[in-house]
Structure formats: structure tokens, C-alpha cells
Amino acid sequence: MKFSVLPAQLLKPKKYCPNPVVRYGIPSYANAKENPKVVDTLAYHQWWEEQIYYIHNGYTTGGITIPGRYYKFVNFDPAQTAKGVGPMELHDYQLDFALWVEHLKSAGVRKNAYVPKARRKAMSVMTAGMVVDYGWRFGTNYHAAVVAGLDEYSQDFIDKWKYINMHMPRELRVKTLLENKDEIVAGWKEQTEEGWISAGSQNTIYIRTVNNNPNVLKGKFLNDIVYEESGENELLLETIAASEDCLRVGNVQYGTSFIYGTGGNMSVGSKGFKEIHLKLGVYNAEQFYIPAYVFFEPAYAGAVNEFGEVVEDIPNLQDMKPYERVGWSDFERAKELIEIKKKELLAEGDMEKYIKFCQNNPINIDEIFRRSSANNFDMLKLNDQLYKIDTGAKKYNRFHLGYKKNDQTGETITPLEVVITPANKEHPEHECVYILNDGHPIKGYKYLDCAGVDSYDQNQAKASKSLGSMVVFRRQHTIPGYPAWLPVALIRNRPKYKEQFYDLCIKLAIYYDLQESVLVDIGAGMVIKHFIDSGNSKYLSRRPKKFESPNTQQTHDYGVSLNAYSKPKMVAALQTLFDFHVEKIWFEHILSEALNYDEFEIGSDNDSVDALGIALMKAIDMDSLPMDEEQLLAKNPYQYPEWEENSEGDIVDKTSIELIDELPLGKEEDYVSRMHRRMSAESSNSEDGDPFDD
């Protein structure tokens, strides 16, 4: 578990008590609510002045100093949960957050906060209390804004703030000069000789919904901007760009953006949210990731039910003293409980609930971005297969590919040969591939495998989030003991130099002997030139004619153009693969990207799915049958024909085999060639079932 400030949960000393007001209560001599007569006493004023001092300057307990915003939060901000209303429970990630906010706002840092999180981690309440309310109530000339793509999200945040404000002790209350749906101003009206004037701090909270206007904050100076449920804000990046000057004076950033996104609330805005995730430096942001296993009830110290009974389930923390583990979560037990719940939902057969639970309770950060509305792929099947991979043994391994060298001279042997070895930590990613355990090349077979490449034409660049990807796809066959019609090898990386990616693709093509079978998207076609210039053009595939419009004006020799005609056909082929063969896909990278895939998105980071789709296009387009060259030579392919009369009275070559549907599928004909022989191009998109199911 890694946070931006504390590297791990903090071991507490016996005297640690960050919430003395909650634990011991307000003393009678300072409790004006129960005893109004104490208001004018010295003790009353001294006690409350001391509290305000802690809120401004921090508080030291058991040798640990906590920020003032955290002291306020755990002592004076009430919590409203399904278990009722009461003081905030103590969790280390809340302290982490408070320390992190202080860090972000420090003079030498001044950065924005990026927070991908699981659901129900109280982040809105924490931000409302420790950031917005803290500044509005105790700051000077403080201005904050709450921004969302939907009105319900911005108003929900303000409702949480209003609840804190409503239950604040009278000694810490602030009057409001103005309060409506769009703006809350601290202060009051005061009569003077010149008439009524606005008095008080004038601290302000703006509430804005983006709708179709990213300029909702233009012209304001702001200390904090809270972007609520950023995964639902389609104009997130545009709004952030339009609001940057609100946080700056000249070229110096003084304010802070808080950009939140919740697993399960990722839709139209998730692209922008993930863009920030991939480019934290561009957006001057640091990350604070909150996974599901943090503060997952009841797997944390001190967990109680609605009746106040302790129900903590923390078997991995039992070797610690109770005071030492205050604020701790039992991460491993929480993960176990999450997996148990997943299995229960799967056993019930309610995949909708299962998927929603997975989205709301992500274990790793990639799951934060999982969504299911970008395409027509079967999300239930994809998630089900992904779960099998997550909970079972991995069926592929990482391998290093290198060119064979002369033992005496150390020079690369020509023609090029590839040496494959299991990869270790020392092997750089740009020299490694993922290969299915039973997906290595089958000796002697030609045209058994093909490949698709989704490449790029620039070296590593901040302007691009795309990876390079190559997928080797195994065609249909009848070789005993080997699976068919599935991806068997994957490259997915973006090394410093594009030529390193191109070279790895060549190595994989050599390893699988993919002659005339590597199909490349010409949208980023410099990899084609690299194949040609390095003397490896024999591996490149020519244009797949079955995916070209009858009126095409294409003239390029190699590669495929993913255009308005060909790409929908590619996506349809992917849909068929996921519908009928998803259980054969063991690369979780492909499945995760398929859940986020948008066929209309340009420059997406779902490159492995595009590479798989291109490989499928090649597999469908191929007329050459998988061929065992050794057996072919054993049959003497150069012998003269021998003529005889068949049962129909026709003269035929008895050394050849007729391709008829009654014959079993085998090396003479595979599923794909039979389909294209039997069906016309116009009727090949069957809606009744899998066209590869004979």
C-alpha cells in the first residue's frame, strides 16, 4: 500500500489521541450548549482559543504531530453514514490525506491533487471538511469552487458541506451573507453611518455545473477547485484548461485542483480522467490512490456496527496491541472479503451485480477506469473471463527475444534467427513478449499463425498515450492438443525509441515464421518501412481484399487502412470472437482494453484490441491453409496427376482431395476457408450464430 506521504500505516504510541474532544468531550466549563452561563468566563474563552490554535497550527499527540485540518475533521466534523450520525472514525488514510494536502500547498511544491478511488471511502466528506470548509471557515480571502459535469454531483458535495456547517459547535460557526444554489458567502450585513454594508470574511464557495460550457470559472481567483466525479465530466480537460489561470498569479500557481474519480462512475469523462492519470506532470498533479481494501468494513481496527458493537475482522493485525493499530486497515483480509463477495455474486448468476461490485471495489488502479458502455461487446463474458484470470493461474509467460549471434565474432547471424529465453527482471520490456504456454510455434507448419500490428510513428512523447502492440493469432486447425482461433502472443509497450518496438515486432515475426502474414495499420505505417529497410519485407501482409470496399482507391501494397468501411467489419469480427471464443483469451490486457474499447475514438490507448482486430482481419482474409510442410513433401507435391472416374462419372485427379462439406475439417480446409467458400461476402455477417461454428 503506497500513499504519496506516508509509505505505510503508522504504528501508534500508547498516548496517541488525535480526537480528544470526541473521546473526552467538551469540558463543562467550556460547554455553552449545556451550560450557557459559562460563555463569559475566562476558562471558556481559553479552552476555545486553544482549540482554534490547534485548528490553525496543528496538534501533537503521543509524539506525532497532525495537521490542524485533520484535528478539526476528527474532533468537530460530524459523519452521516448508514450506521447513523456520529464523530468521524479514525483511519490512517485520512491522516495521509491531510498531510498530503499540506504537502501539495507548501511553497516548494504547489501541485494539484489527482485522486482515483473506490466507492464509499468518504473522500467527498474529507474534502468538504478538511479543504473547503477548513478554508471557508478559518481562512482569509478564501475562495473555492465545486465543479461537476452533472448538477447532482456538485449539489451532493455541497449537501455534505451543509451538514458539517449545520452541526458545527456554535463557537466555530460562521454566518452566511449569501447562500443559494450557485454561491455561498461568509459574512453578515452591518449598519453604519453610510448605511448597510457587507461585513465578515467574504469567503466564498462557488457551485458550478459544466453542462456544455467549460468556462464556468473564468475570471475568478480561487484557492481550491474540487472536480467531483471527474469520470462523468465529458469536458473535464477543457474545464481544467479554462480554469488554470484561476489558481495562478502570473506564472506561479497558488491554488490547488482536487480531481476525483470513482470506480463505477466512469463513462463519457473517463478518457479525460485517464489522460491525467497518464500525464500527471503535464497537469502538475500528484496521485493519491484509494483502493477498495482501504477502510473496507469490517476489516479495519475499531470497526463497529450501527449499535456501537465492535465487529472488526482483522486477523492479520492481531499481533499488534490495540492502541498500536488505531487507524489501521487489514489489507489482506479486506482483499479476501472482496474476493468472497465476488464468488458469491458469480454463484448467484447475477452478472450485473457482480460487474457493478467489481467497478465499485477495484483492487488495482486499472480497474478504476473499467467501463462497459463504449461498445457492443458482451461485458458479462469479458468480465467473467477476466475474473477467471484474476483468480486462477496465469496461462502465459514473459519471454526475451534476441538475435542469434556468431559464437566466434559476436556478430548477428544472417539470415536473421531468433533466440528465445524466459525473461527476468534484468530484461528490458522492449525486448520481451508475452506468449501463451501452449501458443509457441508448431514446428513444420506454415500459415498457421498470423499477426496484427497497431504501431506509432513517434518516439516516447508527452503528447501521445498510445502504446505499440502486436498480437499473433492462431488460425483454425485440427492439430491434436493445440488450441485454435485465439491470440497466442502479445507485445504491448512503448520503448524510448520507436525502432526498438519495430525491431521487437520483427523478432516475433521471425520466431513464428509469419511469412506474408504480418498485417499493419497504415495509419502509423513507419513500421512497414522498417521491415522493408531491414530486409524483412517477406513477413509483411498485403492489403486484405475481403475488407476493402468494392470502390476502393487504395494503392498501397502492404498494410490495412482502418476506415469507415473496414473498421466496423473489424469490430464485428472482434465481437464474434468475444461472443463465441472469449474463454480462449488469456491476456488480461486485451480483456481490460475490450471493456473500455471505443471504435470511434482516435488515438486511444486500447492498442492491444486494435492489434487483435487487425490480426483477425488477416486470419479471415487468408486463403492459404495451415500446411505441414514435412507431410506435404512426403506426399510428393510434384508428382504428375493420376486420372480416374469418380462416382458421378466425372474424370478427376485421384491424388487431390475434393473440398466438400462432408469431409472432416483438417489440413486441406479450415473453418475460415470453408466459410468463405460457402458464403458470399454479402451474407457472411450472420446474426444467427458463430460463422465459424460448423
Side-chain angles (χ1 to χ4, degrees), residues 46-94:
Q46 286 180 334
W47 192 87
W48 281 105
E49 286 173 4
E50 184 179 32
Q51 299 307 305
I52 292 173
Y53 177 85
Y54 294 148
I55 290 171
H56 278 282
N57 299 285
Y59 178 71
T60 301
T61 172
I64 298 172
T65 299
I66 62 175
R69 61 183 77 240
Y70 181 67
Y71 182 84
K72 165 191 172 291
F73 181 70
V74 295
N75 284 283
F76 299 109
D77 292 359
Q80 187 180 28
T81 69
K83 293 186 287 188
V85 178
M88 301 302 303
E89 295 179 280
L90 297 179
H91 300 286
D92 271 10
Y93 84 99
Q94 297 167 344

Short mmCIF file of all heavy atoms in Angstrom, two decimals, residues 46-94:
data_model
loop_
_atom_site.label_atom_id
_atom_site.label_comp_id
_atom_site.label_asym_id
_atom_site.label_seq_id
_atom_site.Cartn_x
_atom_site.Cartn_y
_atom_site.Cartn_z
N GLN A 46 -10.52 30.61 27.09
CA GLN A 46 -9.20 30.00 26.93
C GLN A 46 -9.29 28.63 26.24
O GLN A 46 -8.47 28.30 25.38
CB GLN A 46 -8.53 29.86 28.30
CG GLN A 46 -8.02 31.17 28.87
CD GLN A 46 -7.37 30.99 30.23
OE1 GLN A 46 -7.69 30.06 30.98
NE2 GLN A 46 -6.46 31.91 30.57
N TRP A 47 -10.33 27.83 26.62
CA TRP A 47 -10.44 26.49 26.02
C TRP A 47 -10.72 26.59 24.53
O TRP A 47 -10.09 25.89 23.73
CB TRP A 47 -11.55 25.69 26.73
CG TRP A 47 -11.51 24.23 26.36
CD1 TRP A 47 -10.77 23.27 26.96
CD2 TRP A 47 -12.23 23.59 25.29
NE1 TRP A 47 -10.97 22.05 26.35
CE2 TRP A 47 -11.86 22.22 25.32
CE3 TRP A 47 -13.12 24.03 24.33
CZ2 TRP A 47 -12.38 21.29 24.42
CZ3 TRP A 47 -13.64 23.11 23.43
CH2 TRP A 47 -13.27 21.76 23.47
N TRP A 48 -11.64 27.46 24.14
CA TRP A 48 -11.97 27.57 22.72
C TRP A 48 -10.86 28.24 21.92
O TRP A 48 -10.62 27.89 20.75
CB TRP A 48 -13.30 28.31 22.53
CG TRP A 48 -14.45 27.39 22.81
CD1 TRP A 48 -15.25 27.38 23.92
CD2 TRP A 48 -14.90 26.32 21.98
NE1 TRP A 48 -16.18 26.37 23.84
CE2 TRP A 48 -15.99 25.69 22.66
CE3 TRP A 48 -14.51 25.82 20.75
CZ2 TRP A 48 -16.68 24.60 22.13
CZ3 TRP A 48 -15.19 24.73 20.21
CH2 TRP A 48 -16.26 24.14 20.89
N GLU A 49 -10.14 29.16 22.52
CA GLU A 49 -8.99 29.75 21.84
C GLU A 49 -7.90 28.70 21.60
O GLU A 49 -7.21 28.71 20.58
CB GLU A 49 -8.43 30.92 22.66
CG GLU A 49 -9.30 32.17 22.59
CD GLU A 49 -8.82 33.26 23.55
OE1 GLU A 49 -7.77 33.04 24.20
OE2 GLU A 49 -9.49 34.30 23.65
N GLU A 50 -7.78 27.79 22.57
CA GLU A 50 -6.82 26.70 22.41
C GLU A 50 -7.22 25.78 21.24
O GLU A 50 -6.38 25.36 20.45
CB GLU A 50 -6.74 25.89 23.71
CG GLU A 50 -5.69 24.80 23.68
CD GLU A 50 -5.62 24.04 25.00
OE1 GLU A 50 -6.67 23.90 25.66
OE2 GLU A 50 -4.53 23.58 25.35
N GLN A 51 -8.52 25.49 21.12
CA GLN A 51 -9.00 24.66 20.01
C GLN A 51 -8.72 25.33 18.67
O GLN A 51 -8.28 24.67 17.71
CB GLN A 51 -10.49 24.36 20.17
CG GLN A 51 -10.87 23.62 21.43
CD GLN A 51 -10.07 22.34 21.60
OE1 GLN A 51 -10.04 21.48 20.72
NE2 GLN A 51 -9.39 22.22 22.73
N ILE A 52 -8.98 26.60 18.58
CA ILE A 52 -8.74 27.33 17.33
C ILE A 52 -7.24 27.36 17.03
O ILE A 52 -6.84 27.27 15.85
CB ILE A 52 -9.32 28.75 17.42
CG1 ILE A 52 -10.85 28.68 17.48
CG2 ILE A 52 -8.87 29.61 16.24
CD1 ILE A 52 -11.53 30.00 17.72
N TYR A 53 -6.42 27.44 18.07
CA TYR A 53 -4.96 27.39 17.85
C TYR A 53 -4.57 26.04 17.24
O TYR A 53 -3.79 26.00 16.28
CB TYR A 53 -4.23 27.59 19.18
CG TYR A 53 -2.73 27.47 19.04
CD1 TYR A 53 -1.97 28.58 18.65
CD2 TYR A 53 -2.08 26.26 19.26
CE1 TYR A 53 -0.58 28.47 18.49
CE2 TYR A 53 -0.71 26.14 19.10
CZ TYR A 53 0.03 27.24 18.71
OH TYR A 53 1.40 27.12 18.54
N TYR A 54 -5.10 24.94 17.77
CA TYR A 54 -4.79 23.62 17.21
C TYR A 54 -5.27 23.51 15.76
O TYR A 54 -4.60 22.92 14.91
CB TYR A 54 -5.45 22.52 18.04
CG TYR A 54 -4.93 22.40 19.45
CD1 TYR A 54 -5.78 21.98 20.48
CD2 TYR A 54 -3.61 22.69 19.76
CE1 TYR A 54 -5.32 21.86 21.78
CE2 TYR A 54 -3.13 22.58 21.07
CZ TYR A 54 -4.00 22.16 22.07
OH TYR A 54 -3.54 22.05 23.36
N ILE A 55 -6.45 24.06 15.48
CA ILE A 55 -7.00 24.00 14.13
C ILE A 55 -6.11 24.76 13.15
O ILE A 55 -5.92 24.34 12.01
CB ILE A 55 -8.44 24.55 14.12
CG1 ILE A 55 -9.38 23.57 14.84
CG2 ILE A 55 -8.93 24.80 12.70
CD1 ILE A 55 -10.77 24.12 15.09
N HIS A 56 -5.53 25.85 13.59
CA HIS A 56 -4.67 26.65 12.71
C HIS A 56 -3.25 26.09 12.62
O HIS A 56 -2.62 26.13 11.55
CB HIS A 56 -4.60 28.10 13.20
CG HIS A 56 -5.76 28.93 12.77
ND1 HIS A 56 -5.87 29.44 11.51
CD2 HIS A 56 -6.87 29.34 13.44
CE1 HIS A 56 -6.99 30.13 11.39
NE2 HIS A 56 -7.62 30.08 12.56
N ASN A 57 -2.73 25.58 13.73
CA ASN A 57 -1.30 25.28 13.80
C ASN A 57 -0.96 23.80 13.95
O ASN A 57 0.22 23.44 13.92
CB ASN A 57 -0.68 26.04 14.99
CG ASN A 57 -0.82 27.54 14.82
OD1 ASN A 57 -0.12 28.16 14.02
ND2 ASN A 57 -1.76 28.13 15.56
N GLY A 58 -1.95 22.95 14.09
CA GLY A 58 -1.69 21.53 14.27
C GLY A 58 -1.68 21.14 15.74
O GLY A 58 -1.73 21.98 16.65
N TYR A 59 -1.58 19.83 15.97
CA TYR A 59 -1.72 19.29 17.32
C TYR A 59 -0.77 18.11 17.46
O TYR A 59 -0.68 17.25 16.57
CB TYR A 59 -3.17 18.85 17.52
CG TYR A 59 -3.48 18.23 18.86
CD1 TYR A 59 -3.53 18.99 20.02
CD2 TYR A 59 -3.77 16.86 18.96
CE1 TYR A 59 -3.85 18.42 21.25
CE2 TYR A 59 -4.09 16.28 20.18
CZ TYR A 59 -4.13 17.06 21.32
OH TYR A 59 -4.44 16.50 22.54
N THR A 60 -0.04 18.06 18.57
CA THR A 60 0.89 16.96 18.81
C THR A 60 0.33 16.04 19.88
O THR A 60 -0.07 16.48 20.96
CB THR A 60 2.27 17.50 19.26
OG1 THR A 60 2.79 18.36 18.24
CG2 THR A 60 3.24 16.36 19.50
N THR A 61 0.30 14.74 19.55
CA THR A 61 -0.24 13.74 20.47
C THR A 61 0.61 12.48 20.39
O THR A 61 0.86 11.95 19.30
CB THR A 61 -1.70 13.41 20.12
OG1 THR A 61 -2.14 12.30 20.92
CG2 THR A 61 -1.89 13.08 18.66
N GLY A 62 1.09 12.04 21.53
CA GLY A 62 1.94 10.84 21.56
C GLY A 62 3.19 10.99 20.71
O GLY A 62 3.69 10.01 20.16
N GLY A 63 3.68 12.21 20.58
CA GLY A 63 4.88 12.45 19.79
C GLY A 63 4.63 12.59 18.30
O GLY A 63 5.56 12.80 17.53
N ILE A 64 3.37 12.48 17.87
CA ILE A 64 3.02 12.60 16.45
C ILE A 64 2.28 13.91 16.25
O ILE A 64 1.27 14.18 16.93
CB ILE A 64 2.15 11.42 16.00
CG1 ILE A 64 2.92 10.11 16.16
CG2 ILE A 64 1.68 11.61 14.55
CD1 ILE A 64 2.07 8.87 15.92
N THR A 65 2.73 14.73 15.32
CA THR A 65 2.07 15.99 15.03
C THR A 65 1.12 15.81 13.85
O THR A 65 1.52 15.33 12.79
CB THR A 65 3.09 17.10 14.70
OG1 THR A 65 3.93 17.29 15.84
CG2 THR A 65 2.38 18.41 14.37
N ILE A 66 -0.14 16.20 14.04
CA ILE A 66 -1.14 16.08 12.99
C ILE A 66 -1.51 17.48 12.51
O ILE A 66 -1.48 18.44 13.29
CB ILE A 66 -2.39 15.32 13.47
CG1 ILE A 66 -3.06 16.07 14.63
CG2 ILE A 66 -2.03 13.90 13.88
CD1 ILE A 66 -4.38 15.44 15.09
N PRO A 67 -1.86 17.63 11.24
CA PRO A 67 -2.23 18.96 10.72
C PRO A 67 -3.51 19.48 11.37
O PRO A 67 -4.38 18.70 11.80
CB PRO A 67 -2.45 18.72 9.22
CG PRO A 67 -1.77 17.42 8.93
CD PRO A 67 -1.87 16.62 10.18
N GLY A 68 -3.65 20.80 11.40
CA GLY A 68 -4.83 21.41 12.00
C GLY A 68 -6.11 21.01 11.29
O GLY A 68 -7.16 20.83 11.93
N ARG A 69 -6.06 20.84 9.97
CA ARG A 69 -7.26 20.47 9.23
C ARG A 69 -7.73 19.06 9.63
O ARG A 69 -8.92 18.77 9.61
CB ARG A 69 -7.04 20.60 7.73
CG ARG A 69 -5.97 19.74 7.14
CD ARG A 69 -5.78 20.01 5.63
NE ARG A 69 -5.05 21.23 5.35
CZ ARG A 69 -5.54 22.25 4.66
NH1 ARG A 69 -6.76 22.18 4.17
NH2 ARG A 69 -4.80 23.33 4.43
N TYR A 70 -6.78 18.20 9.98
CA TYR A 70 -7.15 16.85 10.43
C TYR A 70 -7.70 16.91 11.85
O TYR A 70 -8.66 16.20 12.19
CB TYR A 70 -5.94 15.92 10.36
CG TYR A 70 -6.23 14.50 10.79
CD1 TYR A 70 -7.07 13.69 10.03
CD2 TYR A 70 -5.67 13.97 11.95
CE1 TYR A 70 -7.34 12.38 10.41
CE2 TYR A 70 -5.92 12.66 12.33
CZ TYR A 70 -6.76 11.87 11.56
OH TYR A 70 -7.03 10.58 11.95
N TYR A 71 -7.12 17.74 12.69
CA TYR A 71 -7.62 17.90 14.06
C TYR A 71 -9.08 18.36 14.03
O TYR A 71 -9.93 17.83 14.75
CB TYR A 71 -6.76 18.90 14.82
CG TYR A 71 -7.18 19.10 16.26
CD1 TYR A 71 -6.75 18.24 17.25
CD2 TYR A 71 -8.03 20.15 16.62
CE1 TYR A 71 -7.14 18.40 18.58
CE2 TYR A 71 -8.43 20.33 17.93
CZ TYR A 71 -7.99 19.45 18.91
OH TYR A 71 -8.39 19.61 20.22
N LYS A 72 -9.38 19.35 13.20
CA LYS A 72 -10.75 19.83 13.07
C LYS A 72 -11.67 18.71 12.60
O LYS A 72 -12.78 18.51 13.11
CB LYS A 72 -10.79 20.99 12.08
CG LYS A 72 -12.20 21.35 11.56
CD LYS A 72 -12.13 22.31 10.41
CE LYS A 72 -13.48 22.51 9.75
NZ LYS A 72 -13.98 21.33 9.02
N PHE A 73 -11.20 17.95 11.61
CA PHE A 73 -12.03 16.92 10.98
C PHE A 73 -12.44 15.84 11.97
O PHE A 73 -13.61 15.44 12.02
CB PHE A 73 -11.24 16.31 9.81
CG PHE A 73 -11.97 15.26 9.04
CD1 PHE A 73 -13.06 15.59 8.23
CD2 PHE A 73 -11.58 13.93 9.09
CE1 PHE A 73 -13.73 14.62 7.50
CE2 PHE A 73 -12.25 12.96 8.38
CZ PHE A 73 -13.32 13.30 7.58
N VAL A 74 -11.49 15.34 12.76
CA VAL A 74 -11.81 14.21 13.65
C VAL A 74 -12.40 14.66 14.97
O VAL A 74 -12.92 13.84 15.74
CB VAL A 74 -10.56 13.33 13.91
CG1 VAL A 74 -10.11 12.68 12.62
CG2 VAL A 74 -9.43 14.13 14.54
N ASN A 75 -12.38 15.97 15.27
CA ASN A 75 -12.93 16.45 16.52
C ASN A 75 -14.27 17.18 16.37
O ASN A 75 -15.12 17.10 17.26
CB ASN A 75 -11.94 17.37 17.23
CG ASN A 75 -10.81 16.61 17.90
OD1 ASN A 75 -10.99 16.02 18.96
ND2 ASN A 75 -9.64 16.61 17.27
N PHE A 76 -14.47 17.87 15.23
CA PHE A 76 -15.64 18.73 15.13
C PHE A 76 -16.54 18.47 13.91
O PHE A 76 -17.66 18.97 13.86
CB PHE A 76 -15.21 20.20 15.12
CG PHE A 76 -14.50 20.62 16.37
CD1 PHE A 76 -13.13 20.89 16.38
CD2 PHE A 76 -15.19 20.72 17.58
CE1 PHE A 76 -12.48 21.27 17.53
CE2 PHE A 76 -14.55 21.11 18.75
CZ PHE A 76 -13.18 21.38 18.73
N ASP A 77 -16.04 17.73 12.90
CA ASP A 77 -16.87 17.45 11.72
C ASP A 77 -17.67 16.18 11.95
O ASP A 77 -17.09 15.11 12.16
CB ASP A 77 -16.00 17.29 10.47
CG ASP A 77 -15.33 18.59 10.06
OD1 ASP A 77 -15.56 19.61 10.74
OD2 ASP A 77 -14.59 18.57 9.07
N PRO A 78 -19.00 16.25 11.89
CA PRO A 78 -19.81 15.05 12.11
C PRO A 78 -19.84 14.16 10.87
O PRO A 78 -19.63 14.61 9.75
CB PRO A 78 -21.19 15.62 12.41
CG PRO A 78 -21.23 16.89 11.61
CD PRO A 78 -19.82 17.43 11.63
N ALA A 79 -20.11 12.88 11.07
CA ALA A 79 -20.25 11.93 9.97
C ALA A 79 -21.69 11.46 9.88
O ALA A 79 -22.32 11.17 10.90
CB ALA A 79 -19.33 10.73 10.20
N GLN A 80 -22.20 11.38 8.67
CA GLN A 80 -23.55 10.89 8.43
C GLN A 80 -23.45 9.66 7.53
O GLN A 80 -23.15 9.76 6.34
CB GLN A 80 -24.41 11.96 7.75
CG GLN A 80 -25.87 11.60 7.62
CD GLN A 80 -26.66 12.70 6.94
OE1 GLN A 80 -26.10 13.45 6.14
NE2 GLN A 80 -27.94 12.80 7.24
N THR A 81 -23.64 8.47 8.10
CA THR A 81 -23.48 7.23 7.35
C THR A 81 -24.70 6.35 7.56
O THR A 81 -25.64 6.71 8.28
CB THR A 81 -22.23 6.47 7.82
OG1 THR A 81 -22.45 5.98 9.16
CG2 THR A 81 -21.00 7.37 7.82
N ALA A 82 -24.67 5.18 6.91
CA ALA A 82 -25.77 4.21 7.07
C ALA A 82 -25.87 3.72 8.51
O ALA A 82 -26.91 3.24 8.94
CB ALA A 82 -25.54 3.03 6.12
N LYS A 83 -24.77 3.89 9.26
CA LYS A 83 -24.78 3.46 10.67
C LYS A 83 -25.27 4.54 11.60
O LYS A 83 -25.34 4.35 12.80
CB LYS A 83 -23.37 3.01 11.07
CG LYS A 83 -22.90 1.76 10.36
CD LYS A 83 -21.57 1.26 10.88
CE LYS A 83 -20.41 2.12 10.45
NZ LYS A 83 -19.10 1.53 10.81
N GLY A 84 -25.61 5.70 11.05
CA GLY A 84 -26.12 6.79 11.86
C GLY A 84 -25.20 8.00 11.82
O GLY A 84 -24.29 8.09 11.02
N VAL A 85 -25.46 8.95 12.72
CA VAL A 85 -24.69 10.18 12.80
C VAL A 85 -23.76 10.11 14.00
O VAL A 85 -24.17 9.72 15.09
CB VAL A 85 -25.62 11.40 12.92
CG1 VAL A 85 -24.81 12.68 13.06
CG2 VAL A 85 -26.55 11.49 11.72
N GLY A 86 -22.52 10.52 13.81
CA GLY A 86 -21.58 10.49 14.91
C GLY A 86 -20.25 11.07 14.50
O GLY A 86 -20.08 11.55 13.38
N PRO A 87 -19.26 11.02 15.38
CA PRO A 87 -17.93 11.55 15.06
C PRO A 87 -17.24 10.69 14.01
O PRO A 87 -17.59 9.53 13.80
CB PRO A 87 -17.20 11.49 16.41
CG PRO A 87 -17.91 10.41 17.18
CD PRO A 87 -19.34 10.48 16.75
N MET A 88 -16.25 11.27 13.36
CA MET A 88 -15.51 10.55 12.32
C MET A 88 -14.73 9.39 12.92
O MET A 88 -14.09 9.53 13.97
CB MET A 88 -14.55 11.50 11.61
CG MET A 88 -15.21 12.69 10.94
SD MET A 88 -16.45 12.25 9.72
CE MET A 88 -15.51 11.22 8.61
N GLU A 89 -14.76 8.24 12.24
CA GLU A 89 -13.90 7.13 12.62
C GLU A 89 -12.46 7.46 12.23
O GLU A 89 -12.23 8.21 11.28
CB GLU A 89 -14.35 5.85 11.91
CG GLU A 89 -15.74 5.37 12.33
CD GLU A 89 -16.15 4.12 11.57
OE1 GLU A 89 -16.58 4.26 10.41
OE2 GLU A 89 -16.03 3.02 12.13
N LEU A 90 -11.52 6.90 12.97
CA LEU A 90 -10.12 7.18 12.71
C LEU A 90 -9.55 6.18 11.70
O LEU A 90 -9.62 4.97 11.91
CB LEU A 90 -9.31 7.10 14.01
CG LEU A 90 -9.68 8.12 15.09
CD1 LEU A 90 -8.81 7.91 16.32
CD2 LEU A 90 -9.54 9.55 14.58
N HIS A 91 -8.99 6.70 10.61
CA HIS A 91 -8.34 5.88 9.59
C HIS A 91 -7.07 6.57 9.14
O HIS A 91 -7.06 7.78 8.92
CB HIS A 91 -9.26 5.64 8.39
CG HIS A 91 -10.52 4.94 8.75
ND1 HIS A 91 -10.56 3.60 9.06
CD2 HIS A 91 -11.78 5.40 8.87
CE1 HIS A 91 -11.81 3.27 9.35
NE2 HIS A 91 -12.56 4.34 9.25
N ASP A 92 -6.01 5.81 8.98
CA ASP A 92 -4.73 6.40 8.62
C ASP A 92 -4.76 7.11 7.28
O ASP A 92 -4.05 8.08 7.06
CB ASP A 92 -3.64 5.32 8.60
CG ASP A 92 -2.99 5.16 9.96
OD1 ASP A 92 -3.51 5.74 10.94
OD2 ASP A 92 -1.97 4.45 10.06
N TYR A 93 -5.59 6.64 6.34
CA TYR A 93 -5.58 7.29 5.04
C TYR A 93 -6.19 8.70 5.13
O TYR A 93 -5.90 9.55 4.28
CB TYR A 93 -6.31 6.43 3.99
CG TYR A 93 -7.80 6.57 3.93
CD1 TYR A 93 -8.39 7.38 2.97
CD2 TYR A 93 -8.62 5.89 4.82
CE1 TYR A 93 -9.77 7.50 2.90
CE2 TYR A 93 -9.98 6.00 4.75
CZ TYR A 93 -10.56 6.81 3.79
OH TYR A 93 -11.93 6.92 3.73
N GLN A 94 -7.00 8.96 6.17
CA GLN A 94 -7.50 10.32 6.39
C GLN A 94 -6.35 11.24 6.83
O GLN A 94 -6.23 12.38 6.37
CB GLN A 94 -8.59 10.32 7.45
CG GLN A 94 -9.82 9.52 7.06
CD GLN A 94 -10.75 9.27 8.24
OE1 GLN A 94 -10.35 9.44 9.40
NE2 GLN A 94 -11.98 8.88 7.95
#
